[in-house]
Amino acid sequence: MTGFSRYAIYFAAGADNALSRFGAELLGYDAYGGDEISFPQDALRIASDWRDITADPRKYGYHATLKAPMALAPGKTEAELVAACATFAGKPRPVPVIRPVVDSISGFIAVIPAEPVDALQQLAADCVRDFDSFRSPLTAEDRARRKPEKLSEPQREYLDRWGYPYVMEEFRFHMTLTGRLDANRRGPILEMLRERFATLKLDALAVDRIALFTQDDAKARFRIIGEWTLGR
């Protein structure tokens, strides 16, 4: 990982949105205000090590990745990236709407779409392309961290081209709630999270905004410094 500050373009549901509160409570961190939050009691009852279970996603805040964390390219500034976010959001485009469910994905638990949504795949691809001029090239260390030997050939190609392997047709929208869990632990935690999520009565989720997150250094948590509603 680089020693410099990083930026990412994520989807976050909005500071006052029930989904944002749901995620922030479970992660114990609100990326909008940068505040620590107490974990829900039912999470602690099901797993006394809940803080450890959520340590990895807590660092990033509750979000879905659209453009993965990146150090700024030489000559690029935060102000220019902020302006580019506003320009991107202002372009007319179909606003993706998903049917959100809680499920396991690659061993961790997240809110994901119940079925594929073409407009969502397009939004993510547009973010990858449109913001790539702001991305500093991967260092050898950054590339090695992605364990390219374990990636598929297309994923390795995307890693080298876009700095991140899970883009384009490899992209899977997810709002992470836990780190990777052993199979024997996953069931009870998944059931608890589904029960909590059901109380939101969230049958449809509009992916209608982008948020600019920043990380001051490698040990810092990401926080939101800007948010823009997508044009229609």
Side-chain angles (χ1 to χ4, degrees):
M1 181 182 295
T2 69
F4 304 100
S5 59
R6 297 194 298 168
Y7 296 86
I9 313 297
Y10 290 157
F11 167 73
D16 297 325
N17 188 281
L19 179 60
S20 293
R21 294 195 297 273
F22 166 82
E25 288 172 1
L26 288 163
L27 297 185
Y29 172 63
D30 176 11
Y32 278 96
D35 301 318
E36 293 268 349
I37 299 175
S38 298
F39 297 124
Q41 287 302 308
D42 52 351
L44 295 172
R45 280 194 297 269
I46 203 77
S48 59
D49 59 342
W50 189 258
R51 174 169 289 278
D52 295 332
I53 285 173
T54 55
D56 187 58
R58 183 180 310 114
K59 182 176 181 178
Y60 296 90
Y62 192 54
H63 77 280
T65 299
L66 296 172
K67 180 67 172 176
M70 58 187 179
L72 286 184
K76 295 292 186 178
T77 67
E78 180 181 295
E80 290 171 333
L81 181 54
V82 167
C85 287
T87 297
F88 180 92
K91 296 177 181 177
R93 71 181 71 243
V95 171
V97 179
I98 68 171
R99 182 166 65 90
V101 296
V102 174
D103 210 342
S104 178
I105 173 174
S106 300
F108 55 88
I109 298 173
V111 172
I112 64 173
E115 50 271 322
V117 175
D118 289 345
L120 180 56
Q121 296 296 120
Q122 186 63 56
L123 172 64
D126 289 347
C127 278
V128 169
R129 293 190 187 98
D130 286 20
F131 292 105
D132 204 56
S133 64
F134 286 92
R135 178 178 63 85
S136 183
L138 284 180
T139 65
E141 180 184 359
D142 290 333
R143 190 178 188 276
R145 282 182 55 251
R146 290 292 177 189
K147 296 182 171 55
E149 69 280 1
K150 295 185 177 180
L151 299 174
S152 68
E153 184 175 348
Q155 289 169 348
R156 283 194 297 274
E157 291 176 356
Y158 287 147
L159 175 62
D160 291 333
R161 172 62 185 88
W162 302 109
Y164 191 63
Y166 307 111
V167 299
M168 309 309 172
E169 72 273 8
E170 298 290 334
F171 170 75
R172 298 175 70 185
F173 179 96
H174 56 281
M175 303 185 75
T176 308
L177 293 166
T178 72
R180 282 188 171 84
L181 299 167
D182 293 338
N184 62 329
R185 299 201 69 188
R186 205 176 301 144
I189 292 173
L190 179 58
E191 181 180 358
M192 180 273 294
L193 291 173
R194 283 175 169 167
E195 289 175 356
R196 286 188 64 84
F197 185 73
T199 66
L200 302 183
K201 302 185 185 304
L202 186 60
D203 298 323
L205 173 65
V207 184
D208 61 354
R209 64 193 63 216
I210 59 170
L212 180 59
F213 283 57
T214 189
Q215 180 191 35
D216 293 334
D217 57 60
K219 295 182 179 180
R221 292 178 184 167
F222 280 80
R223 55 188 171 81
I224 295 172
I225 59 171
E227 187 177 53
W228 298 264
T229 302
L230 297 177
R232 296 175 183 263

